[in-house]
Amino acid sequence: MKNLKLGIIGQPLTHTLSPILHAQIMHQMDIDGVYCKYPLEHDQLRETLQQLGQEGVRGLNVTIPHKVAVMGLMDWLSIEARLAGAVNTIVFDPDTSQPGNCQTKGHNTDIAGFARSLPPAIVNRLPQMNLLIIGAGGSARAVLTALIQQGATQITFAVRSPEKMVRLISDAEIMKQTFNSQCQIKTSPLLFMPNLNEFEGVINTTPVGMWPHTDSSPLSLSQIETLPKKAFIYDLIYRPTETQLLSQARSQGLQTFNGLDMLIYQGICSFELWQDRPVPASLLSSLRQQLTQAMQHIID
Ligand code: NAP
């Protein structure tokens, strides 16, 4: 008998690494459970969520394309889910006022996942750093929330569609109020940034360079060459583990990070919400290893 019932909703779910991640966490924490894939169309969401809650499912991850749509189906939303404008984790809690029913709680663990993936040496320097975020989609919103929460004071967005920044800039005001931040936020068209020498940290939140389009990069080599030697580059992409952007940055001697730790930490944060207890930090290296191996299979 399996005790813990978990899963993921999205469409398609062919390449998701979450089942492997959570199976490993359960295995290593000696928890008897299952993590199932539920590929769903939009019009199946409401009914299926109700059904899964009644079947005793404890929680779900939510992925593309349902992260925004499920917000309207939740009984309760965390402050992070509201700020990120997306839910990636659902917790089914028993409804004490109506026995047999469930309350659906929507969370966003991409914010904490990104924050926990940053090394303490970088977090400590965030207030002094001038940061560049490339892209302004869903993950950029989570990254922005995390950076404001962690004390960043200067952030520039490099985007190809500046008109899409209007909403994000206005939502950033709510993020700043929430975390009592004075962070200055600017926007710049990416193509018109030949010189990046003022930035000590660059975070790519676009899919540019993601497998199978691995020979593309959101920055040219000549742009990378203008970055200061102490700068770091963080690419949210984890497939491949080293994008062209990271490879060129590393060849310039810059510190580089891929999106694997963010992926792992957002999963760990989800699991901690479902189980209400911490996942031991000692699991991190084996989770990295397992996911890297699994990705190799998918790419091959
Ligand atoms: P999204 O909501 O679709 O946003 C993508 C952003 O990238 C948009 O601002 C888009 O601009 C921009 N963009 C796309 N193609 C571009 C190009 N050729 N040149 C310049 N900008 C471009 O996607 P997302 O959910 O944020 O995900 C983005 C990436 O982050 C994906 O690779 C995903 O796998 C990764 N990710 C990783 C994690 C993790 O845990 N490591 C978590 C979330 C996401 P327009 O608005 O102009 O289209």
Side-chain angles (χ1 to χ4, degrees):
M1 161 92 180
K2 300 281 183 191
N3 287 325
L4 183 61
K5 292 182 184 172
L6 304 171
I8 181 164
I9 59 172
Q11 186 68 278
L13 292 174
T14 334
H15 288 152
T16 176
L17 292 169
S18 294
I20 297 164
L21 175 64
H22 288 286
Q24 273 304 314
I25 295 175
M26 287 191 280
H27 173 67
Q28 300 208 26
M29 290 179 74
D30 210 12
I31 292 170
D32 189 19
V34 286
Y35 186 101
C36 300
K37 288 188 199 180
Y38 301 103
L40 297 180
E41 299 301 334
H42 179 84
D43 58 3
Q44 298 173 290
L45 283 176
R46 184 184 294 275
E47 203 180 319
T48 310
L49 286 181
Q50 207 171 7
Q51 193 186 329
L52 293 177
Q54 281 165 357
E55 285 173 7
V57 171
R58 172 63 181 147
L60 295 171
N61 283 126
V62 185
T63 188
I64 290 167
H66 302 316
K67 283 181 169 193
V68 178
V70 297
M71 288 184 79
L73 302 176
M74 298 292 104
D75 295 313
W76 178 91
L77 288 170
S78 70
I79 183 74
E80 288 81 6
R82 287 173 197 274
L83 291 175
V87 161
N88 78 336
T89 304
I90 298 174
V91 179
F92 293 101
D93 269 344
D95 185 345
T96 43
S97 63
Q98 286 179 297
N101 276 4
C102 276
Q103 286 246 317
T104 46
K105 297 188 171 171
H107 297 263
N108 187 300
T109 64
D110 281 337
I111 299 171
F114 177 72
R116 281 173 73 171
S117 75
L118 288 174
I122 287 185
V123 175
N124 292 340
R125 279 165 50 218
L126 283 179
Q128 290 83 46
M129 279 183 167
N130 197 355
L131 298 165
L132 183 71
I133 299 179
I134 308 173
S139 58
R141 194 172 266 272
V143 166
L144 177 65
T145 314
L147 290 173
I148 290 177
Q149 183 187 37
Q150 298 293 315
T153 55
Q154 292 181 77
I155 298 173
T156 300
F157 276 91
V159 293
R160 67 172 177 185
S161 326
E163 71 283 357
K164 291 194 184 162
M165 281 300 294
V166 176
R167 171 92 191 272
L168 187 54
I169 293 281
S170 114
D171 289 351
E173 288 307 312
I174 305 169
M175 297 174 194
K176 285 163 62 178
Q177 281 165 21
T178 307
F179 300 115
N180 199 14
S181 159
Q182 302 293 321
C183 187
Q184 290 185 347
I185 299 168
K186 293 189 245 170
T187 305
S188 182
L190 183 57
L191 286 175
F192 300 109
M193 298 185 78
N195 196 338
L196 304 178
N197 66 353
E198 65 189 289
F199 297 106
E200 291 138 289
V202 177
I203 300 135
N204 175 40
T205 72
T206 76
V208 183
M210 189 165 76
W211 179 81
H213 306 289
T214 49
D215 56 358
S216 53
S217 169
L219 292 183
S220 65
L221 181 58
S222 60
Q223 282 174 309
I224 295 172
E225 282 169 348
T226 64
L227 284 161
K229 289 290 170 219
K230 62 180 176 183
F232 75 86
I233 298 219
Y234 191 132
D235 197 335
L236 258 60
I237 294 170
Y238 45 83
R239 192 182 290 142
T241 48
E242 187 172 77
T243 54
Q244 182 176 304
L245 172 67
L246 292 189
S247 155
Q248 290 183 337
R250 190 168 52 82
S251 72
Q252 296 298 309
L254 307 183
Q255 198 178 10
T256 59
F257 304 97
N258 67 23
L260 193 58
D261 277 8
M262 176 177 172
L263 176 77
I264 293 173
Y265 276 118
Q266 62 77 31
I268 286 177
C269 293
S270 299
F271 201 84
E272 290 176 343
L273 286 166
W274 297 323
Q275 281 287 275
D276 212 11
R277 62 170 158 150
V279 172
S282 56
L283 265 55
L284 193 63
S285 62
S286 71
L287 292 174
R288 278 189 193 125
Q289 211 178 355
Q290 293 285 340
L291 290 192
T292 308
Q293 267 174 18
M295 268 188 297
Q296 207 50 52
H297 267 293
I298 293 170
I299 289 175
D300 291 347

Coordinates of all heavy atoms in Angstrom, one line a residue, residues 210-260:
M210 N 18.4 26.4 -25.2 CA 17.9 25.2 -24.6 C 17.9 24.0 -25.7 O 17.7 24.3 -26.9 CB 16.5 25.4 -24.1 CG 15.9 24.3 -23.3 SD 14.5 24.8 -22.4 CE 13.2 24.9 -23.7
W211 N 18.2 22.8 -25.3 CA 18.2 21.7 -26.2 C 16.8 21.6 -26.9 O 15.8 21.9 -26.2 CB 18.4 20.4 -25.3 CG 18.3 19.1 -26.1 CD1 19.3 18.6 -26.9 CD2 17.2 18.3 -26.2 NE1 18.8 17.4 -27.4 CE2 17.5 17.2 -27.1 CE3 15.9 18.3 -25.7 CZ2 16.7 16.2 -27.4 CZ3 15.0 17.3 -26.0 CH2 15.4 16.2 -26.8
P212 N 16.7 21.4 -28.2 CA 17.8 21.0 -29.1 C 18.5 22.2 -29.8 O 19.3 21.9 -30.7 CB 17.0 20.1 -30.1 CG 15.7 20.7 -30.2 CD 15.4 21.3 -28.8
H213 N 18.1 23.4 -29.4 CA 18.7 24.6 -30.1 C 20.0 25.0 -29.4 O 20.1 26.2 -29.0 CB 17.7 25.7 -30.3 CG 16.4 25.2 -30.9 ND1 16.3 24.9 -32.2 CD2 15.2 25.0 -30.4 CE1 15.1 24.5 -32.5 NE2 14.4 24.5 -31.4
T214 N 20.9 24.1 -29.2 CA 22.0 24.4 -28.3 C 23.1 25.3 -28.9 O 24.0 25.7 -28.2 CB 22.7 23.0 -27.9 OG1 22.9 22.3 -29.1 CG2 21.8 22.3 -27.0
D215 N 23.0 25.6 -30.2 CA 24.0 26.5 -30.7 C 23.6 28.0 -30.8 O 24.1 28.8 -31.5 CB 24.5 26.0 -32.1 CG 23.4 25.9 -33.1 OD1 22.2 26.1 -32.7 OD2 23.6 25.5 -34.3
S216 N 22.6 28.3 -30.0 CA 22.2 29.7 -29.9 C 22.4 30.2 -28.4 O 22.5 29.4 -27.5 CB 20.7 29.9 -30.3 OG 19.9 29.0 -29.6
S217 N 22.5 31.6 -28.3 CA 22.8 32.2 -27.0 C 22.1 33.5 -27.0 O 22.1 34.2 -28.0 CB 24.3 32.3 -26.8 OG 24.6 33.1 -25.7
P218 N 21.6 34.0 -25.8 CA 21.0 35.3 -25.7 C 22.0 36.4 -25.8 O 21.6 37.6 -26.0 CB 20.2 35.3 -24.4 CG 21.0 34.2 -23.6 CD 21.5 33.2 -24.5
L219 N 23.3 36.1 -25.5 CA 24.4 37.1 -25.6 C 25.4 36.7 -26.6 O 25.7 35.5 -26.7 CB 25.0 37.3 -24.2 CG 24.2 37.9 -23.0 CD1 25.2 38.0 -21.8 CD2 23.6 39.2 -23.4
S220 N 26.0 37.7 -27.3 CA 27.1 37.4 -28.2 C 28.4 37.3 -27.4 O 28.4 37.8 -26.3 CB 27.2 38.5 -29.3 OG 27.6 39.7 -28.6
L221 N 29.4 36.6 -28.0 CA 30.6 36.6 -27.3 C 31.2 37.9 -27.0 O 31.8 38.2 -25.9 CB 31.6 35.7 -28.1 CG 33.0 35.5 -27.5 CD1 32.9 34.8 -26.1 CD2 33.9 34.7 -28.4
S222 N 31.0 38.9 -28.0 CA 31.5 40.2 -27.7 C 30.8 40.9 -26.6 O 31.4 41.7 -25.8 CB 31.5 41.1 -29.0 OG 30.2 41.2 -29.4
Q223 N 29.6 40.6 -26.3 CA 28.9 41.2 -25.2 C 29.4 40.5 -23.9 O 29.7 41.2 -22.9 CB 27.4 40.9 -25.2 CG 26.6 41.8 -26.2 CD 25.1 41.5 -26.3 OE1 24.8 40.3 -26.6 NE2 24.2 42.4 -26.1
I224 N 29.6 39.2 -23.9 CA 30.2 38.5 -22.7 C 31.5 39.0 -22.4 O 31.9 39.2 -21.2 CB 30.2 37.0 -23.0 CG1 28.8 36.4 -23.2 CG2 30.9 36.2 -21.8 CD1 28.8 35.0 -23.6
E225 N 32.3 39.3 -23.4 CA 33.7 39.8 -23.2 C 33.7 41.2 -22.4 O 34.8 41.5 -21.9 CB 34.5 39.9 -24.5 CG 34.9 38.6 -25.0 CD 35.4 38.6 -26.4 OE1 35.2 39.6 -27.1 OE2 36.0 37.6 -26.9
T226 N 32.6 41.9 -22.5 CA 32.6 43.2 -21.8 C 32.3 43.1 -20.3 O 32.4 44.1 -19.6 CB 31.6 44.2 -22.5 OG1 30.3 43.6 -22.3 CG2 31.9 44.4 -24.0
L227 N 31.9 41.9 -19.9 CA 31.5 41.8 -18.5 C 32.7 41.9 -17.6 O 33.8 41.4 -18.0 CB 30.8 40.5 -18.3 CG 29.3 40.4 -18.7 CD1 28.9 38.9 -18.9 CD2 28.4 41.1 -17.8
P228 N 32.6 42.4 -16.4 CA 33.7 42.4 -15.5 C 34.1 41.0 -15.1 O 33.3 40.1 -15.0 CB 33.2 43.2 -14.2 CG 31.8 43.5 -14.4 CD 31.4 43.1 -15.8
K229 N 35.4 40.8 -14.8 CA 35.9 39.4 -14.5 C 35.2 38.8 -13.2 O 35.2 37.6 -13.1 CB 37.4 39.4 -14.3 CG 38.1 39.6 -15.6 CD 38.0 38.4 -16.5 CE 38.5 38.7 -17.9 NZ 37.7 38.1 -19.0
K230 N 34.7 39.7 -12.3 CA 34.1 39.1 -11.1 C 32.6 38.8 -11.3 O 31.9 38.4 -10.4 CB 34.3 40.1 -9.9 CG 33.6 41.5 -10.2 CD 33.8 42.4 -9.0 CE 33.2 43.8 -9.4 NZ 33.3 44.8 -8.4
A231 N 32.1 39.0 -12.5 CA 30.7 38.8 -12.8 C 30.3 37.3 -12.8 O 31.2 36.5 -13.1 CB 30.3 39.4 -14.1
F232 N 29.1 37.0 -12.4 CA 28.6 35.6 -12.6 C 27.5 35.6 -13.6 O 26.8 36.6 -13.9 CB 28.1 35.1 -11.2 CG 26.7 35.6 -10.8 CD1 25.5 35.1 -11.2 CD2 26.6 36.7 -10.0 CE1 24.3 35.6 -10.9 CE2 25.4 37.3 -9.6 CZ 24.2 36.7 -10.0
I233 N 27.4 34.4 -14.3 CA 26.3 34.2 -15.2 C 25.5 33.0 -14.8 O 26.1 31.9 -14.5 CB 26.8 34.0 -16.7 CG1 27.5 35.2 -17.2 CG2 25.6 33.7 -17.6 CD1 27.3 35.6 -18.6
Y234 N 24.2 33.2 -14.6 CA 23.3 32.1 -14.2 C 22.3 31.9 -15.3 O 21.6 32.8 -15.7 CB 22.5 32.6 -12.9 CG 21.7 31.6 -12.2 CD1 21.9 31.4 -10.8 CD2 20.9 30.7 -12.9 CE1 21.1 30.5 -10.1 CE2 20.1 29.8 -12.2 CZ 20.3 29.7 -10.8 OH 19.6 28.7 -10.1
D235 N 22.3 30.7 -15.9 CA 21.4 30.4 -17.0 C 20.3 29.4 -16.4 O 20.7 28.3 -15.9 CB 22.1 29.7 -18.1 CG 21.3 29.7 -19.4 OD1 20.1 29.7 -19.3 OD2 21.9 29.6 -20.5
L236 N 19.1 29.8 -16.4 CA 18.0 29.0 -15.8 C 17.9 27.6 -16.6 O 17.2 26.7 -16.1 CB 16.7 29.7 -15.8 CG 16.2 30.3 -14.5 CD1 17.2 31.3 -14.0 CD2 14.9 30.9 -14.6
I237 N 18.4 27.6 -17.8 CA 18.3 26.3 -18.6 C 19.1 25.2 -17.9 O 20.2 25.5 -17.4 CB 18.8 26.6 -20.0 CG1 17.9 27.6 -20.7 CG2 19.0 25.3 -20.8 CD1 18.4 28.1 -22.1
Y238 N 18.6 24.0 -17.8 CA 19.4 22.9 -17.3 C 19.6 21.8 -18.3 O 20.3 20.8 -18.0 CB 18.7 22.3 -16.0 CG 17.2 22.1 -16.2 CD1 16.7 21.0 -16.8 CD2 16.3 23.1 -15.7 CE1 15.4 20.8 -16.9 CE2 15.0 22.9 -15.9 CZ 14.5 21.8 -16.5 OH 13.1 21.6 -16.7
R239 N 19.0 21.9 -19.5 CA 19.1 20.9 -20.5 C 19.6 21.7 -21.8 O 18.8 22.3 -22.4 CB 17.8 20.3 -20.8 CG 17.9 19.0 -21.6 CD 16.5 18.4 -21.8 NE 15.9 17.9 -20.6 CZ 14.6 17.9 -20.3 NH1 13.8 18.6 -21.0 NH2 14.2 17.3 -19.2
P240 N 20.9 21.7 -22.2 CA 22.0 21.0 -21.6 C 22.5 21.6 -20.3 O 22.1 22.8 -20.0 CB 23.1 21.2 -22.7 CG 22.8 22.5 -23.3 CD 21.3 22.6 -23.3
T241 N 23.3 20.9 -19.6 CA 23.8 21.4 -18.3 C 24.8 22.6 -18.5 O 24.9 23.4 -17.7 CB 24.5 20.3 -17.5 OG1 25.4 19.7 -18.3 CG2 23.5 19.4 -16.9
E242 N 25.4 22.6 -19.7 CA 26.2 23.8 -20.0 C 25.8 24.4 -21.4 O 26.1 23.8 -22.4 CB 27.7 23.5 -20.0 CG 28.5 24.8 -20.2 CD 30.0 24.7 -20.0 OE1 30.7 24.2 -21.0 OE2 30.5 25.1 -19.0
T243 N 25.1 25.5 -21.4 CA 24.6 26.1 -22.6 C 25.8 26.8 -23.3 O 26.9 27.0 -22.6 CB 23.6 27.1 -22.3 OG1 24.1 28.1 -21.3 CG2 22.3 26.5 -21.8
Q244 N 25.6 27.3 -24.5 CA 26.7 28.0 -25.2 C 27.0 29.3 -24.3 O 28.2 29.7 -24.2 CB 26.2 28.4 -26.6 CG 27.3 29.2 -27.3 CD 26.9 29.5 -28.7 OE1 26.5 28.6 -29.5 NE2 26.9 30.8 -29.1
L245 N 26.0 29.9 -23.8 CA 26.2 31.1 -22.9 C 27.1 30.8 -21.8 O 28.1 31.5 -21.5 CB 24.8 31.6 -22.4 CG 24.9 32.7 -21.3 CD1 25.4 34.0 -22.0 CD2 23.5 32.9 -20.7
L246 N 26.9 29.7 -21.1 CA 27.7 29.3 -19.9 C 29.1 28.9 -20.4 O 30.1 29.2 -19.7 CB 27.0 28.2 -19.1 CG 25.8 28.6 -18.4 CD1 25.3 27.5 -17.4 CD2 25.9 29.9 -17.6
S247 N 29.2 28.2 -21.5 CA 30.5 27.7 -22.0 C 31.4 29.0 -22.3 O 32.5 29.0 -21.9 CB 30.2 26.8 -23.1 OG 31.3 26.8 -24.0
Q248 N 30.8 29.9 -23.0 CA 31.6 31.1 -23.4 C 31.9 32.0 -22.2 O 33.0 32.5 -22.1 CB 30.8 31.9 -24.4 CG 30.7 31.2 -25.8 CD 30.0 32.0 -26.8 OE1 29.2 32.9 -26.6 NE2 30.2 31.7 -28.1
A249 N 31.0 32.0 -21.2 CA 31.3 32.8 -20.0 C 32.4 32.1 -19.2 O 33.3 32.8 -18.7 CB 30.0 32.9 -19.1
R250 N 32.3 30.8 -19.1 CA 33.4 30.1 -18.4 C 34.7 30.3 -19.1 O 35.7 30.4 -18.4 CB 33.0 28.6 -18.3 CG 33.9 27.8 -17.4 CD 33.3 26.4 -17.2 NE 33.0 25.7 -18.4 CZ 33.9 25.0 -19.1 NH1 35.1 24.9 -18.8 NH2 33.5 24.4 -20.2
S251 N 34.7 30.3 -20.4 CA 36.0 30.5 -21.1 C 36.6 31.9 -20.9 O 37.8 32.1 -21.0 CB 35.9 30.2 -22.6 OG 35.1 31.2 -23.2
Q252 N 35.7 32.8 -20.4 CA 36.2 34.1 -20.1 C 36.6 34.2 -18.6 O 36.9 35.3 -18.1 CB 35.1 35.2 -20.3 CG 34.7 35.3 -21.8 CD 35.9 35.8 -22.7 OE1 36.5 36.8 -22.3 NE2 36.2 35.1 -23.7
G253 N 36.5 33.1 -17.9 CA 36.9 33.1 -16.5 C 35.8 33.5 -15.5 O 36.0 33.8 -14.3
L254 N 34.5 33.7 -16.0 CA 33.4 34.1 -15.2 C 32.8 32.9 -14.4 O 32.9 31.8 -14.9 CB 32.3 34.7 -16.0 CG 32.7 35.9 -17.0 CD1 31.5 36.5 -17.7 CD2 33.5 37.0 -16.2
Q255 N 32.2 33.2 -13.3 CA 31.6 32.2 -12.5 C 30.2 31.8 -13.1 O 29.5 32.7 -13.5 CB 31.3 32.7 -11.1 CG 31.1 31.6 -10.1 CD 30.9 32.2 -8.7 OE1 30.8 33.4 -8.4 NE2 30.9 31.3 -7.7
T256 N 29.9 30.5 -13.3 CA 28.7 30.2 -14.0 C 27.8 29.2 -13.2 O 28.4 28.4 -12.4 CB 29.0 29.5 -15.4 OG1 29.8 28.3 -15.1 CG2 29.8 30.4 -16.3
F257 N 26.5 29.3 -13.4 CA 25.6 28.4 -12.7 C 24.5 28.0 -13.8 O 24.0 28.9 -14.5 CB 24.8 29.1 -11.6 CG 25.8 29.7 -10.6 CD1 26.1 31.1 -10.6 CD2 26.3 28.9 -9.6 CE1 27.0 31.6 -9.7 CE2 27.2 29.5 -8.6 CZ 27.5 30.8 -8.7
N258 N 24.1 26.7 -13.8 CA 23.0 26.3 -14.6 C 21.8 26.2 -13.8 O 21.8 26.4 -12.6 CB 23.3 25.1 -15.4 CG 23.5 23.8 -14.5 OD1 22.9 23.8 -13.4 ND2 24.2 22.8 -14.9
G259 N 20.6 25.8 -14.5 CA 19.3 25.8 -13.8 C 19.0 24.6 -13.0 O 17.9 24.4 -12.4
L260 N 20.0 23.7 -12.9 CA 19.7 22.4 -12.3 C 19.4 22.5 -10.8 O 18.4 21.9 -10.3 CB 20.9 21.4 -12.5 CG 20.6 20.0 -12.1 CD1 19.5 19.4 -13.0 CD2 21.9 19.1 -12.4

